[in-house]
Amino acid sequence: MDTIRQLMMGFPFILFSVLLPLVGLYWLLVLLRIAPVELFEKDSLRDDHLASALVALGFAGVPTTVALSWLIVLAAGMTLAVELLVLRWLSVGLFIIPIGVVLLWASFAVASPIAETLCRQMGPWFHRHQARRSLLGKCVKVVQAPSDGQPGRAVLTDDSSCEVRLLGKQDRRESEGEYRVLVKYLPGEDAFRSVAKDAFLETRTRLRQLKGKSKKSRSEGTLAPH
């Protein structure tokens, strides 16, 4: 017990000693209907917020809080396992700081695909329970094109039992059989705006390239002689 206590209060696991109780407290508040499940979701993917970032990583279809909870729990388990099996037997001294940082990064990196798989399996449950904003970033197939004054209908490509309403603009209407990506939720109409799947993927790729160039430019500006 003393060994476990020391590990829990030492770096790097102390990070999870703080996060895990917060996760537990949050889900308790959700069960008591005090906190919302879609805590971090916005009505649009346009802004660069936490939910949008997780969608880009493949966590579309479930609330951000679910994805974060799985990531934290899985990464905590992996970090604790490495500390018990390896680090506690080594005398690393102050080197525990860089080693701990690398271990945290590796734990989250390894946990990410596992958490994504778990979230994908849980997705249909949230689809049935009207977690609408967490559907942003999901790919749908149009089954009924919108007509004058009437929204269209579409189903998720990975869950045909989940149907959504699509509201398109006059000059960019969806066509039946087309694959679209949900990018904005309209709570007043309980409907979504969408973009063509190819256009969505191209935009994501272009944004990543622009961010990469921006970071490179800042780095060069910092290193450039005056």
Side-chain angles (χ1 to χ4, degrees), residues 28-48:
L28 176 62
L29 295 177
V30 170
L31 291 175
L32 296 175
R33 299 184 182 278
I34 297 175
V37 175
E38 293 184 309
L39 182 63
F40 298 109
E41 270 68 24
K42 306 295 183 181
D43 288 337
S44 174
L45 291 180
R46 183 175 183 179
D47 298 325
D48 191 13

Side-chain angles (χ1 to χ4, degrees), residues 19-76:
L19 291 178
L20 289 173
L22 290 178
V23 170
L25 176 61
Y26 166 75
W27 285 109
L28 176 62
L29 295 177
V30 170
L31 291 175
L32 296 175
R33 299 184 182 278
I34 297 175
V37 175
E38 293 184 309
L39 182 63
F40 298 109
E41 270 68 24
K42 306 295 183 181
D43 288 337
S44 174
L45 291 180
R46 183 175 183 179
D47 298 325
D48 191 13
H49 48 75
L50 178 59
S52 178
L54 286 175
V55 166
L57 292 174
F59 288 96
V62 297
T64 300
T65 51
V66 175
L68 288 177
S69 297
W70 276 121
L71 282 171
I72 290 171
V73 170
L74 291 171

Side-chain angles (χ1 to χ4, degrees), residues 42-119:
K42 306 295 183 181
D43 288 337
S44 174
L45 291 180
R46 183 175 183 179
D47 298 325
D48 191 13
H49 48 75
L50 178 59
S52 178
L54 286 175
V55 166
L57 292 174
F59 288 96
V62 297
T64 300
T65 51
V66 175
L68 288 177
S69 297
W70 276 121
L71 282 171
I72 290 171
V73 170
L74 291 171
M78 293 176 187
T79 301
L80 182 60
V82 173
E83 290 207 44
L84 285 172
L85 296 174
V86 180
L87 292 185
R88 77 186 184 99
W89 304 106
L90 302 177
S91 179
V92 294
L94 291 178
F95 285 105
I96 189 61
I97 296 177
I99 292 173
V101 171
V102 172
L103 176 57
L104 288 173
W105 175 85
S107 297
F108 278 104
V110 174
S112 182
I114 302 174
E116 183 184 352
T117 300
L118 293 171
C119 288

Side-chain angles (χ1 to χ4, degrees), residues 178-181 194-201:
E178 184 182 6
Y179 289 94
R180 312 277 297 183
V181 175
S194 65
V195 297
K197 182 180 178 180
D198 291 341
F200 178 81
L201 296 176

Side-chain angles (χ1 to χ4, degrees), residues 166-214:
L166 298 180
L167 280 178
K169 297 182 179 179
Q170 289 294 114
D171 57 340
R172 285 179 287 177
R173 284 186 175 176
E174 301 85 356
S175 56
E176 189 172 335
E178 184 182 6
Y179 289 94
R180 312 277 297 183
V181 175
L182 306 178
V183 295
K184 186 175 183 179
Y185 179 59
L186 306 171
E189 295 83 2
D190 188 27
F192 292 86
R193 299 277 192 205
S194 65
V195 297
K197 182 180 178 180
D198 291 341
F200 178 81
L201 296 176
E202 289 174 1
T203 300
R204 285 287 180 186
T205 301
R206 188 159 57 249
L207 285 175
R208 283 195 291 266
Q209 290 175 344
L210 288 174
K211 288 180 179 179
K213 291 180 180 179
S214 176

